[in-house]
Amino acid sequence: MTHSIVRLTPAQLIKKYSKPTIQTLALWGSMDTRNSLIISAAFHECQTLGITDVLVGDNADELFGGSYDVMMNKTYLNDPDGWKMKRDGMADLPFVTQKLAETYGITVHAPFMDREFIEWAVRECQQGDCVAYNRRIQSSFGGPFEEQPCGKLPIREAFSTVASWRRMDFIYRGSGASEGRIIEDFYETSVS
């Protein structure tokens, strides 16, 4: 299998994937739709390439402190019990990935959504296992390593590559789909 990159401007992403994404998910909202457009584009590329099964990381941020709510919130710096309560409350959120995948004939495999895995992670993984507030990571590919907060330590350490030690970015930024506020502005001005 070769590496594939989907190259679309934010305007092209919106034009091509808004209608099928909104119809599939029956939702309209800046964050949900914005993030789902990128997933739709990726699944469409998989369909084009004949890929039928995809491994996804849904729930990894939530279980291992990778989300900004848990990782970056200074409230939890010296409050491991508060961190655990917040993390545990996020450990089983719904994801739209499965619905989008079905639209493109893709079977999704989401190991971090497995009930037994969730129960294990909530029981065994504490704040110190998941989050470091002074880990040397990169803010940009090829850039210098700097001390920053980071989450998902079990995953970063298990799959230790240059890419695993980069900063956390929201999907629309990490995918390159963000260009200023074009996606947010589109949805904010298009809602009637």
Side-chain angles (χ1 to χ4, degrees), residues 64 112 117 120 129 135 151-165:
F64 297 119
F112 303 115
F117 188 86
W120 170 84
D129 301 319
R135 207 58 183 264
K152 295 195 285 191
L153 292 180
I155 297 170
R156 291 174 188 267
E157 291 170 357
F159 302 100
S160 190
T161 67
V162 172
S164 62
W165 293 102

Side-chain angles (χ1 to χ4, degrees), residues 49-182:
L49 296 173
I51 296 169
T52 59
D53 290 72
V54 175
L55 180 67
V56 298
D58 290 355
N59 214 31
D61 282 332
E62 290 73 15
L63 286 176
F64 297 119
S67 73
Y68 276 101
D69 288 346
V70 176
M71 176 185 75
M72 301 295 258
N73 195 327
K74 298 276 188 206
T75 303
Y76 303 117
L77 185 59
N78 295 308
D79 183 10
D81 293 334
W83 180 90
K84 182 169 174 36
M85 187 181 321
K86 176 72 172 178
R87 188 278 308 269
D88 292 358
M90 295 171 35
D92 198 10
L93 295 175
F95 288 85
V96 300
T97 313
Q98 186 64 44
K99 276 184 167 180
L100 290 171
E102 289 170 4
T103 300
Y104 296 97
I106 305 291
T107 300
V108 166
H109 304 276
F112 303 115
M113 295 294 292
D114 178 78
R115 173 62 34 213
E116 287 182 36
F117 188 86
I118 293 170
E119 291 170 0
W120 170 84
V122 166
R123 183 180 64 248
E124 299 296 330
C125 297
Q126 305 304 313
Q127 182 182 26
D129 301 319
C130 299
V131 178
Y133 290 93
N134 59 348
R135 207 58 183 264
R136 293 183 53 78
I137 62 172
Q138 287 181 306
S139 291
S140 61
F141 184 72
F145 282 84
E146 302 167 335
E147 285 196 3
Q148 297 181 34
C150 75
K152 295 195 285 191
L153 292 180
I155 297 170
R156 291 174 188 267
E157 291 170 357
F159 302 100
S160 190
T161 67
V162 172
S164 62
W165 293 102
R166 64 169 179 77
R167 72 169 185 222
M168 183 277 191
D169 279 315
F170 293 111
I171 189 171
Y172 70 99
R173 287 192 183 122
S175 69
S178 178
E179 192 174 282
R181 286 187 39 90
I182 190 168

Side-chain angles (χ1 to χ4, degrees), residues 12-75:
Q12 291 169 324
L13 181 72
I14 290 166
K15 184 176 182 177
K16 187 169 185 175
Y17 294 103
S18 288
K19 186 174 182 178
T21 301
I22 292 166
Q23 286 176 334
T24 297
L25 300 179
L27 62 79
W28 176 270
S30 173
M31 187 180 95
D32 293 329
T33 308
R34 173 194 69 205
N35 293 346
S36 298
L37 294 177
I38 294 145
I39 297 167
S40 290
F43 285 150
H44 183 233
E45 179 73 359
C46 290
Q47 181 186 50
T48 301
L49 296 173
I51 296 169
T52 59
D53 290 72
V54 175
L55 180 67
V56 298
D58 290 355
N59 214 31
D61 282 332
E62 290 73 15
L63 286 176
F64 297 119
S67 73
Y68 276 101
D69 288 346
V70 176
M71 176 185 75
M72 301 295 258
N73 195 327
K74 298 276 188 206
T75 303

